[in-house]
Amino acid sequence: MNEAELRSAMGAHRWLQSLRLRDTLLTPGLKSEAQLREEEAALFDPLNLAGADVLEVGAANGAFSLAALRRGARRVLATDHLPWTLPGSDALSATQWAAHALGAPLETRAQDPRELSAAFGSFHLVLATACFEQWFNPILALRGLRSVTNRILLLETMQDALADARPIMMAQSHHAPIGGVQGSWVAGWAPNPPLMLQLLIDLGFDRILYRNHPSLGSARGIYAALLPEAPDGLLAGFAAPWANLTHPQG
Amino acid sequence: MALMSSFAPRLSDADLLARIQSYHWWHSIALREGLTTFGGKTEAILAQEEQALLSPFDLAGRSVIDIGAWNGYFSFAAKRRGAARVLATDSYIWNHPIWRGRETFDLARAELGLDVEALMLDPPQITPQLGLFDVVMFLGVFYHLYDPIEVMARLRGITRQLLLVETHSDLTDQARPGMVFYPGAILNQDATNWWGPNPATMLHLFLQLGFTRIFYRDHPTLGRARGIYAAFTPEVAEGLILRFDDNWRDLDVPGAIEALVTA
Ligand SMILES: C[S@@+](CC[C@H](N)C(=O)[O-])C[C@H]1O[C@@H](n2cnc3c(N)ncnc32)[C@H](O)[C@@H]1O
């Protein structure tokens, strides 16, 4: 396809994320390329993805999955649930089309994270951004994510109840640009860091790192949670502003 | 109809007292004239709780399931209020080597001669195979569950008309829905306590699960620290509700949560 053809095919989709398809061709996504780039750096810069098997949950248009492939991941499976399955949704076909346009070997599958289990497979890295706030049952969804992780879970989420030292999550209902053109109401939760820490520990993660969102501060947080099987060497790339919540430095 | 007691030989008062004393009780239940179990909850408190929980409803002819029945006080109360079928369920306390809840329930049921069924059931195992119940009682259990959201969804699947919830509450000064997590044994030195939701959270869960009318009242003796919720499905029959007295408020109307928080 030449660029004009690409541009017209691109226009047939509604875009959640701004994906760079060519130097002069960017999908008109609701989330800007700049924000995606800074989030990608915050999430992936500490890690060496070469040869990794990666599962993304809540992939939207797959911006981070495509980034993982660019960073040398061996296999990347992008999944999403409501945005890919609600009546009238276009995000899965948009994502598949973008991967094709980029020539990226991205796998895709519609998947409810609550139904993930070990039978689904096992991934070095499991990534979920902006999901917690759309999970009606984050306890069950996190258990699903845990069951398919064999090294590290990266989780980016909206946060709330930051002034309280007790573990808390606040329920969120918001109108999201998913499903049909009019969008849909989605219910989920926003945790505070003490809650995330406790939920991740309860799932068996033994080293948990945290940083604020690169531009939105503590309104959103990023967690990296390592399983006991993950070598300590994985921690080397996590420099400030990352902080180790389970083993705070003296 | 004293179905069970007609087969078991009747215990002497002294033997019954000895049996009562061999167990720990949560509910104080009058088994015979002058022979009441020594529960952590007094008869007076239980009477107030029963009044608060059950008096708004006409249970005659209804099917009722009691999730986490323990010694069975509320199952027995529902039966006495005319329920056609009552199924008492529990697991944790019923299987507990010290609390021996199932034995206490069986003793009380036999003595009272009430036709109440019993089923060993852990709330996370609730499935639609249980069938539909007009009234589902979920009293003092929500906060004991690591994943109460999943269990609430399962409860919705077995509720034909009314889900009655009593729970410890937290964040009650906040109009926004939130719940507090209690790791370890932080809440009341009890490692089986996990979550404290506020009324806004309960409203949120009920509405998300497809309950359409939700009523709330404070606990009759503990006030705002614990909440009582009556959540109705769209299929609720007119006759089920007798009257909500002034202690109850309609929670599913605009401004109700804000009014509750400032009340
Ligand atoms: C506070 S008692 C409430 C008893 C009775 N429904 C009442 O309101 O008086 C808590 C009940 O929840 C049950 N339960 C269910 N799941 C539980 C769990 N995971 N941990 C502890 N208790 C649990 C216990 O067996 C016990 O009967």
Short mmCIF file of all heavy atoms in Angstrom, two decimals, chain A residues 136-140 143 160-161 164 166-173 186-189 195 198-199 202-203, chain B residues 146-150 153 170-171 174 176-184 194-195 198 201 204-205 208-209:
data_model
loop_
_atom_site.label_atom_id
_atom_site.label_comp_id
_atom_site.label_asym_id
_atom_site.label_seq_id
_atom_site.Cartn_x
_atom_site.Cartn_y
_atom_site.Cartn_z
N PHE A 136 -14.16 -4.52 36.78
CA PHE A 136 -15.21 -4.60 37.80
C PHE A 136 -14.71 -5.41 38.99
O PHE A 136 -15.02 -5.09 40.14
CB PHE A 136 -16.47 -5.25 37.22
CG PHE A 136 -17.55 -5.45 38.23
CD1 PHE A 136 -18.20 -4.36 38.80
CD2 PHE A 136 -17.92 -6.73 38.64
CE1 PHE A 136 -19.19 -4.54 39.75
CE2 PHE A 136 -18.92 -6.92 39.58
CZ PHE A 136 -19.55 -5.82 40.15
N ASN A 137 -13.91 -6.44 38.71
CA ASN A 137 -13.34 -7.22 39.80
C ASN A 137 -11.82 -7.34 39.66
O ASN A 137 -11.31 -8.30 39.09
CB ASN A 137 -13.97 -8.62 39.87
CG ASN A 137 -13.49 -9.38 41.10
OD1 ASN A 137 -12.46 -9.05 41.69
ND2 ASN A 137 -14.21 -10.41 41.48
N PRO A 138 -11.09 -6.35 40.18
CA PRO A 138 -9.63 -6.38 40.03
C PRO A 138 -8.97 -7.53 40.78
O PRO A 138 -7.88 -7.97 40.40
CB PRO A 138 -9.18 -5.03 40.60
CG PRO A 138 -10.31 -4.56 41.44
CD PRO A 138 -11.56 -5.16 40.88
N ILE A 139 -9.62 -8.03 41.82
CA ILE A 139 -9.02 -9.13 42.58
C ILE A 139 -8.92 -10.37 41.69
O ILE A 139 -7.88 -11.03 41.62
CB ILE A 139 -9.86 -9.43 43.84
CG1 ILE A 139 -9.99 -8.17 44.70
CG2 ILE A 139 -9.28 -10.58 44.64
CD1 ILE A 139 -11.11 -8.22 45.71
N LEU A 140 -10.00 -10.62 40.98
CA LEU A 140 -10.04 -11.77 40.08
C LEU A 140 -9.14 -11.55 38.86
O LEU A 140 -8.44 -12.46 38.41
CB LEU A 140 -11.49 -11.98 39.63
CG LEU A 140 -11.97 -13.37 39.33
CD1 LEU A 140 -11.61 -14.32 40.46
CD2 LEU A 140 -13.48 -13.35 39.12
N ARG A 143 -5.56 -12.02 39.75
CA ARG A 143 -5.27 -13.44 39.92
C ARG A 143 -5.05 -14.09 38.54
O ARG A 143 -4.15 -14.91 38.36
CB ARG A 143 -6.44 -14.12 40.65
CG ARG A 143 -6.14 -15.49 41.17
CD ARG A 143 -7.28 -15.99 42.04
NE ARG A 143 -7.47 -15.17 43.23
CZ ARG A 143 -8.58 -15.18 43.97
NH1 ARG A 143 -9.61 -15.93 43.64
NH2 ARG A 143 -8.66 -14.43 45.05
N ASP A 160 -6.01 6.53 43.58
CA ASP A 160 -6.93 7.35 44.38
C ASP A 160 -6.61 7.11 45.85
O ASP A 160 -5.75 6.29 46.17
CB ASP A 160 -8.39 6.96 44.05
CG ASP A 160 -9.38 8.10 44.32
OD1 ASP A 160 -9.10 8.94 45.21
OD2 ASP A 160 -10.42 8.13 43.66
N ALA A 161 -7.31 7.81 46.72
CA ALA A 161 -7.14 7.66 48.18
C ALA A 161 -5.67 7.77 48.58
O ALA A 161 -5.19 7.06 49.46
CB ALA A 161 -7.72 6.32 48.65
N ASP A 164 -4.53 8.56 52.28
CA ASP A 164 -4.79 7.57 53.33
C ASP A 164 -3.66 6.53 53.31
O ASP A 164 -3.28 6.03 52.26
CB ASP A 164 -6.13 6.89 53.07
CG ASP A 164 -6.82 6.46 54.35
OD1 ASP A 164 -6.14 5.87 55.21
OD2 ASP A 164 -8.02 6.72 54.49
N ARG A 166 -3.90 3.67 54.75
CA ARG A 166 -4.47 2.33 54.72
C ARG A 166 -4.69 1.87 53.28
O ARG A 166 -4.92 2.70 52.40
CB ARG A 166 -5.82 2.33 55.47
CG ARG A 166 -5.70 2.77 56.90
CD ARG A 166 -7.03 2.76 57.59
NE ARG A 166 -8.04 3.62 56.93
CZ ARG A 166 -9.34 3.55 57.18
NH1 ARG A 166 -9.82 2.68 58.03
NH2 ARG A 166 -10.16 4.36 56.57
N PRO A 167 -4.65 0.56 53.03
CA PRO A 167 -4.92 0.08 51.67
C PRO A 167 -6.38 0.32 51.30
O PRO A 167 -7.28 -0.11 52.02
CB PRO A 167 -4.64 -1.43 51.76
CG PRO A 167 -3.88 -1.64 53.03
CD PRO A 167 -4.30 -0.54 53.96
N ILE A 168 -6.59 1.01 50.20
CA ILE A 168 -7.96 1.39 49.80
C ILE A 168 -8.07 1.33 48.28
O ILE A 168 -7.12 1.60 47.56
CB ILE A 168 -8.27 2.84 50.27
CG1 ILE A 168 -8.43 2.87 51.79
CG2 ILE A 168 -9.53 3.41 49.60
CD1 ILE A 168 -8.58 4.25 52.37
N MET A 169 -9.26 0.97 47.80
CA MET A 169 -9.57 1.24 46.39
C MET A 169 -10.91 1.95 46.31
O MET A 169 -11.81 1.69 47.09
CB MET A 169 -9.52 -0.01 45.52
CG MET A 169 -10.48 -1.13 45.85
SD MET A 169 -10.17 -2.52 44.69
CE MET A 169 -11.51 -3.63 45.17
N MET A 170 -10.97 2.90 45.39
CA MET A 170 -12.18 3.68 45.18
C MET A 170 -12.81 3.21 43.86
O MET A 170 -12.11 3.03 42.87
CB MET A 170 -11.87 5.17 45.09
CG MET A 170 -11.11 5.74 46.29
SD MET A 170 -12.02 5.67 47.87
CE MET A 170 -13.29 6.93 47.58
N ALA A 171 -14.13 3.02 43.87
CA ALA A 171 -14.81 2.59 42.65
C ALA A 171 -14.88 3.75 41.66
O ALA A 171 -15.02 4.91 42.04
CB ALA A 171 -16.20 2.07 42.98
N GLN A 172 -14.75 3.43 40.40
CA GLN A 172 -14.75 4.40 39.31
C GLN A 172 -15.81 4.01 38.32
O GLN A 172 -15.85 2.86 37.91
CB GLN A 172 -13.42 4.35 38.54
CG GLN A 172 -12.20 4.64 39.35
CD GLN A 172 -12.17 6.08 39.74
OE1 GLN A 172 -12.64 6.93 38.97
NE2 GLN A 172 -11.65 6.36 40.92
N SER A 173 -16.64 4.93 37.93
CA SER A 173 -17.46 4.68 36.75
C SER A 173 -17.16 5.82 35.80
O SER A 173 -17.24 6.97 36.18
CB SER A 173 -18.95 4.71 37.09
OG SER A 173 -19.28 3.63 37.91
N VAL A 186 -18.04 2.31 31.83
CA VAL A 186 -17.24 1.22 32.36
C VAL A 186 -17.06 1.44 33.85
O VAL A 186 -16.84 2.57 34.30
CB VAL A 186 -15.83 1.19 31.74
CG1 VAL A 186 -15.21 -0.18 31.91
CG2 VAL A 186 -15.86 1.58 30.29
N ALA A 187 -17.15 0.35 34.61
CA ALA A 187 -16.96 0.44 36.05
C ALA A 187 -15.68 -0.27 36.43
O ALA A 187 -15.41 -1.38 35.97
CB ALA A 187 -18.14 -0.18 36.79
N GLY A 188 -14.88 0.39 37.26
CA GLY A 188 -13.66 -0.23 37.72
C GLY A 188 -13.25 0.40 39.04
O GLY A 188 -14.08 0.97 39.74
N TRP A 189 -11.97 0.31 39.36
CA TRP A 189 -11.49 0.78 40.65
C TRP A 189 -10.16 1.50 40.49
O TRP A 189 -9.39 1.21 39.58
CB TRP A 189 -11.26 -0.41 41.59
CG TRP A 189 -12.50 -1.21 41.86
CD1 TRP A 189 -13.00 -2.21 41.05
CD2 TRP A 189 -13.39 -1.09 42.98
NE1 TRP A 189 -14.15 -2.72 41.63
CE2 TRP A 189 -14.41 -2.06 42.80
CE3 TRP A 189 -13.40 -0.28 44.12
CZ2 TRP A 189 -15.44 -2.23 43.72
CZ3 TRP A 189 -14.43 -0.44 45.03
CH2 TRP A 189 -15.45 -1.42 44.83
N LEU A 195 -2.57 -0.48 48.82
CA LEU A 195 -3.42 -1.60 48.39
C LEU A 195 -2.72 -2.42 47.31
O LEU A 195 -2.68 -3.65 47.38
CB LEU A 195 -4.78 -1.13 47.88
CG LEU A 195 -5.66 -2.31 47.41
CD1 LEU A 195 -6.11 -3.17 48.59
CD2 LEU A 195 -6.85 -1.86 46.61
N GLN A 198 -0.12 -4.63 48.76
CA GLN A 198 -0.64 -5.79 49.48
C GLN A 198 -1.23 -6.84 48.54
O GLN A 198 -0.99 -8.04 48.71
CB GLN A 198 -1.70 -5.31 50.48
CG GLN A 198 -1.97 -6.29 51.57
CD GLN A 198 -0.71 -6.62 52.38
OE1 GLN A 198 -0.01 -5.71 52.83
NE2 GLN A 198 -0.41 -7.90 52.52
N LEU A 199 -1.96 -6.40 47.53
CA LEU A 199 -2.56 -7.36 46.59
C LEU A 199 -1.47 -8.12 45.85
O LEU A 199 -1.57 -9.34 45.63
CB LEU A 199 -3.48 -6.66 45.60
CG LEU A 199 -4.77 -6.04 46.16
CD1 LEU A 199 -5.57 -5.36 45.04
CD2 LEU A 199 -5.64 -7.08 46.88
N ASP A 202 0.20 -10.62 48.16
CA ASP A 202 -0.70 -11.76 48.38
C ASP A 202 -0.70 -12.72 47.18
O ASP A 202 -1.00 -13.90 47.33
CB ASP A 202 -2.13 -11.29 48.67
CG ASP A 202 -2.26 -10.64 50.05
OD1 ASP A 202 -1.30 -10.72 50.84
OD2 ASP A 202 -3.32 -10.05 50.33
N LEU A 203 -0.39 -12.18 45.99
CA LEU A 203 -0.36 -13.04 44.80
C LEU A 203 0.98 -13.77 44.67
O LEU A 203 1.15 -14.58 43.76
CB LEU A 203 -0.61 -12.21 43.54
CG LEU A 203 -2.06 -11.78 43.35
CD1 LEU A 203 -2.16 -10.70 42.27
CD2 LEU A 203 -2.94 -12.98 42.98
N TYR B 146 -12.05 -12.53 50.92
CA TYR B 146 -10.95 -11.86 50.22
C TYR B 146 -11.47 -11.25 48.92
O TYR B 146 -11.04 -10.18 48.52
CB TYR B 146 -9.83 -12.87 49.92
CG TYR B 146 -8.56 -12.20 49.46
CD1 TYR B 146 -7.61 -11.77 50.38
CD2 TYR B 146 -8.32 -11.97 48.10
CE1 TYR B 146 -6.46 -11.13 49.97
CE2 TYR B 146 -7.17 -11.34 47.68
CZ TYR B 146 -6.24 -10.92 48.62
OH TYR B 146 -5.10 -10.28 48.21
N ASP B 147 -12.40 -11.97 48.26
CA ASP B 147 -12.98 -11.43 47.03
C ASP B 147 -14.50 -11.31 47.16
O ASP B 147 -15.24 -12.12 46.62
CB ASP B 147 -12.61 -12.32 45.84
CG ASP B 147 -13.09 -11.72 44.52
OD1 ASP B 147 -13.79 -10.69 44.54
OD2 ASP B 147 -12.75 -12.29 43.46
N PRO B 148 -14.96 -10.30 47.89
CA PRO B 148 -16.41 -10.16 48.05
C PRO B 148 -17.12 -9.77 46.75
O PRO B 148 -18.31 -10.02 46.60
CB PRO B 148 -16.55 -9.05 49.09
CG PRO B 148 -15.28 -8.26 48.99
CD PRO B 148 -14.22 -9.25 48.59
N ILE B 149 -16.39 -9.18 45.81
CA ILE B 149 -17.03 -8.75 44.55
C ILE B 149 -17.51 -9.98 43.78
O ILE B 149 -18.64 -10.02 43.28
CB ILE B 149 -16.05 -7.92 43.69
CG1 ILE B 149 -15.55 -6.70 44.49
CG2 ILE B 149 -16.71 -7.49 42.40
CD1 ILE B 149 -14.45 -5.93 43.80
N GLU B 150 -16.66 -10.99 43.72
CA GLU B 150 -17.02 -12.22 43.02
C GLU B 150 -18.22 -12.90 43.69
O GLU B 150 -19.14 -13.37 43.02
CB GLU B 150 -15.79 -13.16 43.01
CG GLU B 150 -16.05 -14.58 42.55
CD GLU B 150 -16.47 -14.69 41.09
OE1 GLU B 150 -16.45 -13.68 40.39
OE2 GLU B 150 -16.83 -15.82 40.69
N ALA B 153 -21.42 -11.19 42.90
CA ALA B 153 -21.89 -11.55 41.56
C ALA B 153 -22.57 -12.93 41.60
O ALA B 153 -23.60 -13.14 40.96
CB ALA B 153 -20.73 -11.55 40.57
N ASP B 170 -16.78 0.96 56.39
CA ASP B 170 -15.65 1.87 56.63
C ASP B 170 -15.80 3.02 55.64
O ASP B 170 -16.68 2.97 54.78
CB ASP B 170 -14.33 1.12 56.43
CG ASP B 170 -13.18 1.73 57.25
OD1 ASP B 170 -13.17 2.97 57.43
OD2 ASP B 170 -12.30 0.98 57.69
N LEU B 171 -14.99 4.05 55.77
CA LEU B 171 -15.05 5.22 54.90
C LEU B 171 -16.47 5.79 54.83
O LEU B 171 -16.91 6.29 53.80
CB LEU B 171 -14.60 4.88 53.46
CG LEU B 171 -13.17 4.36 53.28
CD1 LEU B 171 -12.94 3.99 51.81
CD2 LEU B 171 -12.14 5.41 53.70
N GLN B 174 -17.40 9.29 53.59
CA GLN B 174 -17.15 9.65 52.20
C GLN B 174 -18.32 9.30 51.31
O GLN B 174 -18.86 8.19 51.37
CB GLN B 174 -15.93 8.89 51.69
CG GLN B 174 -14.65 9.36 52.33
CD GLN B 174 -13.46 9.17 51.41
OE1 GLN B 174 -13.60 9.29 50.19
NE2 GLN B 174 -12.31 8.87 52.01
N ARG B 176 -18.00 9.24 48.07
CA ARG B 176 -17.49 8.49 46.91
C ARG B 176 -17.33 7.02 47.32
O ARG B 176 -16.96 6.72 48.45
CB ARG B 176 -16.16 9.07 46.46
CG ARG B 176 -16.31 10.51 45.94
CD ARG B 176 -14.96 11.14 45.71
NE ARG B 176 -14.17 10.33 44.80
CZ ARG B 176 -12.89 10.01 45.01
NH1 ARG B 176 -12.27 10.41 46.08
NH2 ARG B 176 -12.25 9.27 44.13
N PRO B 177 -17.59 6.11 46.38
CA PRO B 177 -17.50 4.69 46.71
C PRO B 177 -16.05 4.24 46.91
O PRO B 177 -15.19 4.52 46.07
CB PRO B 177 -18.12 3.99 45.49
CG PRO B 177 -18.01 4.98 44.38
CD PRO B 177 -18.05 6.34 44.99
N GLY B 178 -15.80 3.59 48.04
CA GLY B 178 -14.47 3.08 48.28
C GLY B 178 -14.52 1.98 49.29
O GLY B 178 -15.49 1.87 50.06
N MET B 179 -13.50 1.11 49.30
CA MET B 179 -13.42 0.14 50.37
C MET B 179 -12.00 -0.02 50.86
O MET B 179 -11.03 0.11 50.13
CB MET B 179 -14.10 -1.18 50.06
CG MET B 179 -13.87 -1.84 48.75
SD MET B 179 -14.97 -3.33 48.72
CE MET B 179 -14.05 -4.33 47.57
N VAL B 180 -11.91 -0.28 52.17
CA VAL B 180 -10.61 -0.41 52.84
C VAL B 180 -10.27 -1.88 52.94
O VAL B 180 -11.13 -2.71 53.22
CB VAL B 180 -10.67 0.19 54.27
CG1 VAL B 180 -9.33 0.06 54.96
CG2 VAL B 180 -11.12 1.63 54.22
N PHE B 181 -9.00 -2.18 52.70
CA PHE B 181 -8.52 -3.56 52.79
C PHE B 181 -7.76 -3.72 54.10
O PHE B 181 -7.00 -2.84 54.49
CB PHE B 181 -7.59 -3.83 51.60
CG PHE B 181 -7.05 -5.22 51.52
CD1 PHE B 181 -7.87 -6.27 51.12
CD2 PHE B 181 -5.73 -5.49 51.82
CE1 PHE B 181 -7.37 -7.57 51.03
CE2 PHE B 181 -5.22 -6.79 51.73
CZ PHE B 181 -6.05 -7.82 51.34
N TYR B 182 -8.01 -4.82 54.78
CA TYR B 182 -7.35 -5.08 56.06
C TYR B 182 -6.42 -6.28 55.96
O TYR B 182 -6.88 -7.42 56.08
CB TYR B 182 -8.40 -5.35 57.15
CG TYR B 182 -9.50 -4.33 57.21
CD1 TYR B 182 -10.78 -4.64 56.80
CD2 TYR B 182 -9.26 -3.03 57.67
CE1 TYR B 182 -11.81 -3.71 56.85
CE2 TYR B 182 -10.27 -2.09 57.72
CZ TYR B 182 -11.54 -2.44 57.31
OH TYR B 182 -12.56 -1.52 57.35
N PRO B 183 -5.14 -6.04 55.73
CA PRO B 183 -4.21 -7.17 55.64
C PRO B 183 -4.05 -7.81 57.02
O PRO B 183 -4.26 -7.15 58.05
CB PRO B 183 -2.89 -6.54 55.19
CG PRO B 183 -3.16 -5.11 54.93
CD PRO B 183 -4.44 -4.75 55.61
N GLY B 184 -3.69 -9.06 57.04
CA GLY B 184 -3.43 -9.73 58.31
C GLY B 184 -4.64 -9.68 59.20
O GLY B 184 -5.76 -9.91 58.77
N TRP B 194 -11.40 -8.89 55.84
CA TRP B 194 -10.64 -8.40 54.69
C TRP B 194 -11.03 -7.00 54.22
O TRP B 194 -10.16 -6.21 53.89
CB TRP B 194 -10.79 -9.38 53.51
CG TRP B 194 -10.08 -10.67 53.73
CD1 TRP B 194 -10.65 -11.91 53.87
CD2 TRP B 194 -8.66 -10.89 53.83
NE1 TRP B 194 -9.68 -12.86 54.06
CE2 TRP B 194 -8.45 -12.27 54.03
CE3 TRP B 194 -7.55 -10.03 53.76
CZ2 TRP B 194 -7.19 -12.82 54.16
CZ3 TRP B 194 -6.28 -10.59 53.90
CH2 TRP B 194 -6.10 -11.96 54.10
N TRP B 195 -12.33 -6.69 54.13
CA TRP B 195 -12.71 -5.45 53.46
C TRP B 195 -13.75 -4.66 54.26
O TRP B 195 -14.64 -5.25 54.86
CB TRP B 195 -13.33 -5.73 52.08
CG TRP B 195 -12.38 -6.26 51.06
CD1 TRP B 195 -12.22 -7.57 50.71
CD2 TRP B 195 -11.48 -5.51 50.24
NE1 TRP B 195 -11.28 -7.67 49.72
CE2 TRP B 195 -10.81 -6.42 49.41
CE3 TRP B 195 -11.18 -4.13 50.12
CZ2 TRP B 195 -9.85 -6.02 48.47
CZ3 TRP B 195 -10.23 -3.74 49.19
CH2 TRP B 195 -9.57 -4.68 48.38
N ASN B 198 -17.94 1.25 51.98
CA ASN B 198 -18.90 2.26 52.45
C ASN B 198 -20.22 2.07 51.69
O ASN B 198 -20.28 1.30 50.72
CB ASN B 198 -18.32 3.67 52.35
CG ASN B 198 -18.02 4.12 50.92
OD1 ASN B 198 -18.31 3.40 49.97
ND2 ASN B 198 -17.43 5.29 50.79
N THR B 201 -20.13 2.25 47.97
CA THR B 201 -19.58 1.08 47.30
C THR B 201 -20.63 0.00 47.14
O THR B 201 -20.76 -0.62 46.08
CB THR B 201 -18.40 0.50 48.11
OG1 THR B 201 -17.37 1.47 48.16
CG2 THR B 201 -17.87 -0.77 47.47
N HIS B 204 -22.97 0.92 44.46
CA HIS B 204 -22.30 0.72 43.18
C HIS B 204 -22.34 -0.75 42.77
O HIS B 204 -22.70 -1.09 41.64
CB HIS B 204 -20.86 1.22 43.32
CG HIS B 204 -19.95 0.89 42.18
ND1 HIS B 204 -19.92 1.63 41.01
CD2 HIS B 204 -19.04 -0.11 42.01
CE1 HIS B 204 -19.02 1.10 40.19
NE2 HIS B 204 -18.48 0.05 40.76
N LEU B 205 -21.99 -1.64 43.71
CA LEU B 205 -21.98 -3.07 43.39
C LEU B 205 -23.39 -3.57 43.06
O LEU B 205 -23.58 -4.29 42.08
CB LEU B 205 -21.40 -3.87 44.56
CG LEU B 205 -19.90 -3.67 44.83
CD1 LEU B 205 -19.48 -4.45 46.08
CD2 LEU B 205 -19.06 -4.11 43.63
N GLN B 208 -24.40 -2.28 39.61
CA GLN B 208 -23.64 -2.94 38.54
C GLN B 208 -24.12 -4.36 38.32
O GLN B 208 -24.02 -4.89 37.21
CB GLN B 208 -22.14 -2.95 38.88
CG GLN B 208 -21.47 -1.59 38.78
CD GLN B 208 -21.39 -1.11 37.34
OE1 GLN B 208 -21.20 -1.89 36.42
NE2 GLN B 208 -21.55 0.19 37.15
N LEU B 209 -24.59 -5.00 39.40
CA LEU B 209 -25.01 -6.39 39.30
C LEU B 209 -26.47 -6.53 38.87
O LEU B 209 -26.99 -7.64 38.80
CB LEU B 209 -24.77 -7.11 40.63
CG LEU B 209 -23.29 -7.30 40.96
CD1 LEU B 209 -23.10 -7.78 42.39
CD2 LEU B 209 -22.65 -8.29 39.98
#
